[in-house]
Amino acid sequence: MHRLGVALLVTVLSFATVLAQTAIPTREGRGGQAGQGGQGRRGGGPGPEINLPATPVAAPLATISAEITGPGPIFESLMELKPGDDMAHFKYQAHEYFVSGTANGQPYTTRIVIRRPADASKFSGLVLAESMHPSGNAWMFHFTHAYSMTIGHVGLDILTSTSVPFAEFNSERYKSLQVGAGQAAEILAQVGALMKSKQQGNPLAVLPVRDMILAGTSASAAALINYLPAHMVLRLSDMKPIYDGFLPTSTGATIRQIDVPMIQVPTMTEVMSGTATARQDGDAPGDQFRAYEFPGMAHIDSRDAVAYYPNPCKLPISRFPLAAYMSVALNHLWQWVDKGTVPPKADRILVDRNVTNDGSLMALDEHGNARGGIRNAYVDVPVKKYGVRNEGAVPPIQNAHSFVAVRGEAAQNQLCGLAGYEMAFSQADLKKLYKDKKDYMKRVERSLDEATKQGWFLPVYRSVVVADAAAVTF
């Protein structure tokens, strides 16, 4: 896969009202403009005004091109993965196509990318679809790539926001792309219906697709939420749902009830800002819902996003493995959708709404970590305090990543505001908590065993957590 440039990451400026957007480099793209693409709002809407039918109808199928192989390089929307953890390692292939149709009364041409096992027999039968983040990133596939590719899930990346960054990157290849305001919901319906069809040219028609879910994070979670009214009326030809479940993450929106399972993953950032959903878990038809909150998890995966290296923030950036726990939620949603296995309910992160006692709206334990939520080794066998939000360094660092260097202090502060921070315990505190390194490692292993048994941890990420623990110095 090509190692090219930087990407945009549209991000959140205000967690209490409108979620505005700016760029964070990750893999591909041209830097773009702040405010570009769709905006997520508290409560998930409203999005651009569209005319939906009053009663359920079959969604038209998008028209698909032959595979696009040129001219020039592909706009790579998957953040670069390390060797041994990349698509080649998992024997996966990426295929790009253009799809077209009419949405909101106007024609559109957009692009999709399908990431699938090279050996079709390895396909799980499950498709993880996402509205491409307005940054140009397939964040949900990135977050869950190790789990998804180990199991054999297909990733489907759908462009629903502006195509300007594509044209700026490779005008010859992408000159025909055209996506307008108010078209996203119908595009998601028409592409999803196409992927489940046996229509000639559908690259998934030869695979035994059983179920497909729509996922999103932050701004792409807003696209998901804004799609839900369309989900209720734009259906397959047999009037069954196009998407069999939904996974909105890094959003605190209170989301409407729908007719298929949904798992929402607010992070500590949303909890800390007072915007995490108060919606309760449900099991009744039309209210199949879970909210999973993981103490330690911040809005963005600063462990991997390259703009955080070198660290432009006041405090050490968090390296909490967001991907390992987003994948837990995805796994439970797949079991719910595909096998009817009702997922466990979980406590939410506790909130005391009192910043005067410890500086946080969250209730913190004696180590400074959030109480409640889905427990994990990072907070139950702690060697660090995990908090939100970080702040920009004062004065700004001199050797910042090119994204920060070009865009200045405002970009630095926004990056850091989205990230969490971690503060390592002193050697004296470590010795109070653990006899020695061996004792600490044994407790981490025990915590992982228990979390795995309870369904709150996936073995595919065990080596990640163990390696983090092994790096701790006593």
Side-chain angles (χ1 to χ4, degrees), residues 396 401-415:
H401 186 277
S402 59
F403 170 80
V404 177
V406 169
R407 289 162 179 80
E409 189 172 352
Q412 169 198 267
N413 292 339
Q414 187 173 20
L415 278 170

Side-chain angles (χ1 to χ4, degrees), residues 61-382:
L61 303 185
T63 300
I64 192 165
S65 71
E67 183 174 357
I68 305 300
T69 58
I74 187 174
F75 185 107
E76 180 50 74
S77 53
L78 181 63
M79 187 161 64
E80 187 167 9
L81 303 173
K82 298 178 177 66
D85 189 42
D86 56 6
M87 289 182 58
H89 171 77
F90 290 100
K91 297 181 173 59
Y92 260 61
Q93 299 174 339
H95 303 277
E96 182 182 47
Y97 305 87
F98 291 169
V99 293
S100 58
T102 299
N104 205 21
Q106 299 294 323
Y108 70 85
T109 298
T110 190
R111 79 104 183 229
I112 65 172
V113 173
I114 294 173
R115 296 180 176 86
R116 50 165 288 182
D119 180 351
S121 69
K122 303 295 184 181
F123 173 47
S124 68
L126 307 177
V127 179
L128 173 65
E130 60 183 299
S131 171
M132 190 193 79
H133 197 281
S135 61
N137 289 292
W139 277 115
M140 293 309 300
F141 190 82
H142 168 75
F143 287 161
T144 66
H145 73 271
Y147 160 71
S148 291
M149 289 194 284
T150 296
I151 301 299
H153 302 331
V154 160
L156 171 63
D157 176 10
I158 308 167
L159 170 64
T160 63
S161 56
T162 179
S163 60
V164 170
F166 288 79
E168 291 177 346
F169 173 71
N170 184 343
S171 60
E172 189 63 23
R173 183 168 180 142
Y174 296 112
K175 61 186 177 183
S176 66
L177 297 187
Q178 181 180 0
V179 180
Q183 292 189 307
E186 289 174 271
I187 290 173
L188 289 172
Q190 293 173 22
V191 171
L194 170 67
M195 293 295 103
K196 278 192 167 180
S197 76
K198 296 300 182 182
Q199 179 168 297
Q200 185 175 4
N202 172 17
L204 296 186
V206 297
L207 298 177
V209 175
R210 294 196 308 277
D211 296 295
M212 178 169 64
I213 68 169
L214 184 66
T217 190
S218 192
S220 58
L224 179 161
I225 295 166
N226 289 332
Y227 169 72
L228 295 178
H231 162 79
M232 299 301 292
V233 293
L234 298 179
R235 318 293 275 192
L236 299 175
S237 59
D238 59 4
M239 293 299 109
K240 290 182 179 179
I242 295 170
Y243 296 99
D244 302 292
F246 293 91
L247 182 69
T249 73
S250 291
T251 175
T254 299
I255 304 174
R256 61 169 292 167
Q257 294 182 357
I258 52 171
D259 58 350
V260 297
M262 177 188 297
I263 295 179
Q264 182 177 359
V265 188
T267 71
M268 288 201 308
T269 306
E270 286 74 53
V271 177
M272 178 61 178
S273 60
T275 61
T277 181
R279 180 178 170 183
Q280 297 300 295
D281 293 344
D283 293 315
D287 187 27
Q288 295 171 285
F289 177 78
R290 294 287 185 274
Y292 287 163
E293 297 176 1
F294 298 90
M297 181 187 290
H299 183 88
I300 192 171
D301 187 9
S302 55
R303 186 183 182 107
D304 291 326
V306 298
Y308 292 100
Y309 300 92
N311 179 23
C313 306
K314 178 180 179 180
L315 300 173
I317 59 167
S318 172
R319 291 183 57 79
F320 181 91
L322 177 149
Y325 296 98
M326 288 293 189
S327 296
V328 168
L330 176 59
N331 181 62
H332 278 303
L333 183 58
W334 279 133
Q335 300 303 310
W336 204 358
V337 164
D338 191 47
K339 299 179 180 178
T341 303
V342 177
K345 297 180 181 180
D347 290 338
R348 311 286 177 90
I349 292 174
L350 298 181
V351 178
D352 60 17
R353 297 184 177 86
N354 182 10
V355 297
T356 61
N357 60 352
D358 54 24
S360 173
L361 289 175
M362 298 180 290
L364 306 183
D365 65 19
E366 66 273 24
H367 306 299
N369 288 314
R371 296 182 182 273
I374 298 170
R375 308 309 295 175
N376 59 78
Y378 290 88
V379 293
D380 277 354
V381 193

